[in-house]
């Protein structure tokens, strides 16, 4: 019990640190220093520069071995499995009601903030090895979110496009970092240092931006919809528990297991809001659902991480 509580406290401290940074964004929005509108203008900087840099740096931080490659492939498998489970659950639970709002709840219960929440938390709790595994989980996230996710969000028969699968932050980072990891090439400091500096932007910038979303959410109208609580239960409680039990049964353990559970327990992805805007869904509802589940994750993520650490 003491070990479990210690793990909860450690993980909670790291989550709390992230939300303190988000609180800065909250205050900035309320005072007009940095609003949600302004944060949307810097989204591409975070998406296409900082996030890939985090992933590339994680690959450069791990020495290539057969064991490391094996773990990487298992992380890919684990991420694929829990996304499939999430899709099945969303279809079973949110297939009724008005299609426009149902699409938001389906997406919100399936796709987590594996880039902006899982990667910084993995760095804090698990170190470079944890980021290494979580980086690979970004791959199935992008594949599913840009195929299944687009399918449930779009109104028209838009083309999904191979370009969208490749030219997105997670895939770009893996496409650059994986060959460097496998080849064992040493990147000179004149290149590694800029990559590292850009990677350091990811956590503070992502959380400050997230704080602006929290500040603009209308909490009163949100809590009247029972589906919000159901989506939260699925995303940050049921899915990580199923991931923990299922992957442990098939032999996952150690940092690999914790990284998979951490990624599965990440709150709803910011893509929920962006896809809602792109495909004409209710962006206000998407913002509120994302914010609500993210706030609850302050409590649930540390518990899930601690459970994984105890069971591993």
């Amino acid at each position: 019990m003491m070990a479990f509580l210690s793990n909860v406290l450690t993980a909670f401290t790291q989550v709390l640190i992230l939300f303190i940074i988000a609180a800065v964004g909250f205050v900035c929005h309320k005072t007009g220093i940095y609003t949600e509108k302004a944060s949307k203008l810097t989204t591409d900087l975070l998406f296409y520069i900082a996030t890939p840099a985090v992933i590339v740096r994680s690959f450069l931080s791990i020495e290539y071995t057969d064991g490391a490659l094996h773990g990487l492939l298992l992380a890919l498998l684990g991420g694929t499995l829990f996304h499939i489970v999430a899709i099945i659950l969303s279809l079973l639970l949110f297939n009724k009601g008005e299609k426009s709002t149902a699409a938001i709840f389906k997406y919100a219960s399936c796709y987590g903030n594996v880039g902006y929440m899982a990667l910084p938390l993995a760095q804090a709790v698990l170190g470079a090895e944890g980021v290494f595994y979580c980086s690979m989980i970004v791959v199935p996230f992008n594949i599913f979110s840009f195929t299944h996710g687009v399918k449930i969000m779009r109104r028209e028969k838009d083309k999904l496009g191979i370009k969208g699968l490749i030219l997105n932050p997670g895939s770009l980072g893996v496409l650059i970092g994986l060959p460097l990891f496998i080849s064992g090439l040493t990147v000179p400091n004149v290149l590694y240092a800029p990559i590292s500096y850009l990677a350091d932007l990811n956590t503070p910038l992502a959380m400050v931006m997230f704080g602006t979303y929290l500040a603009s959410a209308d909490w009163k109208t949100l809590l009247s919809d029972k589906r919000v609580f159901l989506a939260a239960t699925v995303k940050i409680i049921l899915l990580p528990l199923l991931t923990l039990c299922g992957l442990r049964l098939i032999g996952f353990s150690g940092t690999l297991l914790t990284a998979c559970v951490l990624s599965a327990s990440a709150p709803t992805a910011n893509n929920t809001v962006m896809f809602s805007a792109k495909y004409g869904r209710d962006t206000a509802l998407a913002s509120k659902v994302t914010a609500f589940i993210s706030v609850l994750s302050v409590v649930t993520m540390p518990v899930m991480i601690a459970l994984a650490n105890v069971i591993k």
Side-chain angles (χ1 to χ4, degrees):
M1 178 58 74
M2 290 302 296
F4 173 76
L5 292 176
S6 177
N7 285 324
V8 169
L9 181 60
T10 299
F12 177 76
T13 300
Q14 297 303 327
V15 172
L16 185 60
I17 289 170
L18 296 180
F19 271 82
I20 289 174
I21 302 174
V24 174
F26 185 96
V27 173
C28 286
H29 177 87
K30 292 297 185 181
T31 56
I33 296 174
Y34 185 71
T35 64
E36 181 184 357
K37 182 179 180 180
S39 73
K40 289 178 179 178
L41 297 176
T42 56
T43 296
D44 285 347
L45 173 65
L46 190 62
F47 261 42
Y48 292 103
I49 303 297
T51 296
V54 171
I55 296 173
V56 171
R57 183 172 65 178
S58 73
F59 279 101
L60 295 175
S61 301
I62 301 293
E63 183 180 356
Y64 175 83
T65 64
D66 289 340
L69 181 60
H70 182 250
L72 201 66
L73 295 175
L74 287 177
L76 179 63
L77 172 63
T80 300
L81 290 176
F82 79 66
H83 276 100
I84 291 173
V85 170
I87 290 170
I88 294 171
L89 288 173
S90 71
L91 289 174
L92 293 174
L93 296 173
F94 301 106
N95 216 28
K96 296 180 180 180
E98 205 276 314
K99 289 185 177 180
S100 180
T101 56
I104 292 171
F105 288 112
K106 284 181 182 179
Y107 195 97
S109 62
C110 282
Y111 300 107
N113 231 331
V114 294
Y116 302 152
M117 283 291 287
L119 287 179
L121 190 54
Q123 179 66 54
V125 177
L126 302 174
E129 185 181 5
V131 176
F132 181 66
Y133 293 139
C134 287
S135 297
M136 205 60 184
I137 295 172
V138 173
V139 176
F141 165 81
N142 280 310
I143 291 174
F144 284 115
S145 66
F146 280 89
T147 51
H148 167 262
V150 169
K151 182 177 183 297
I152 61 177
M153 280 291 202
R154 62 182 176 164
R155 290 181 180 274
E156 306 295 336
K157 294 184 178 179
D158 301 302
K159 293 181 180 180
L160 297 178
I162 298 299
K163 183 179 179 180
L165 289 174
I166 298 174
L167 298 180
N168 61 71
S171 297
L172 285 171
V174 173
L175 287 173
I176 296 170
L178 185 59
L180 293 173
F181 165 70
I182 294 175
S183 66
L185 291 175
T186 300
V187 176
N189 189 61
V190 69
L191 293 178
Y192 180 82
I195 292 171
S196 185
Y197 288 139
L198 290 170
D200 288 338
L201 291 174
N202 185 69
T203 300
L205 184 57
M207 297 313 298
V208 168
M209 289 174 62
F210 177 65
T212 67
Y213 291 116
L214 292 179
S216 60
D218 182 359
W219 299 95
K220 293 180 180 179
T221 58
L222 176 69
L223 302 180
S224 62
D225 194 334
K226 294 180 180 179
R227 291 177 298 175
V228 175
F229 296 94
L230 182 57
T233 301
V234 171
K235 181 66 202 74
I236 57 178
I237 297 177
L238 185 57
L239 182 59
L241 286 177
L242 290 174
T243 300
L244 174 58
C245 296
L247 295 185
R248 189 68 189 91
L249 284 174
I250 63 175
F252 282 53
S253 62
T255 302
L256 173 61
L257 176 63
T258 304
C260 290
V261 173
L262 188 157
S263 296
S265 67
T268 297
N270 293 341
N271 282 10
T272 309
V273 181
M274 287 181 287
F275 279 19
S276 294
K278 180 176 177 61
Y279 296 107
R281 302 297 184 181
D282 188 342
T283 54
L285 175 62
S287 296
K288 289 184 286 187
V289 171
T290 301
F292 178 70
I293 295 177
S294 297
V295 169
L296 292 183
S297 73
V298 176
V299 176
T300 58
M301 284 189 81
V303 174
M304 296 304 167
I305 294 168
L307 282 173
N309 279 330
V310 169
I311 293 175
K312 73 178 183 179

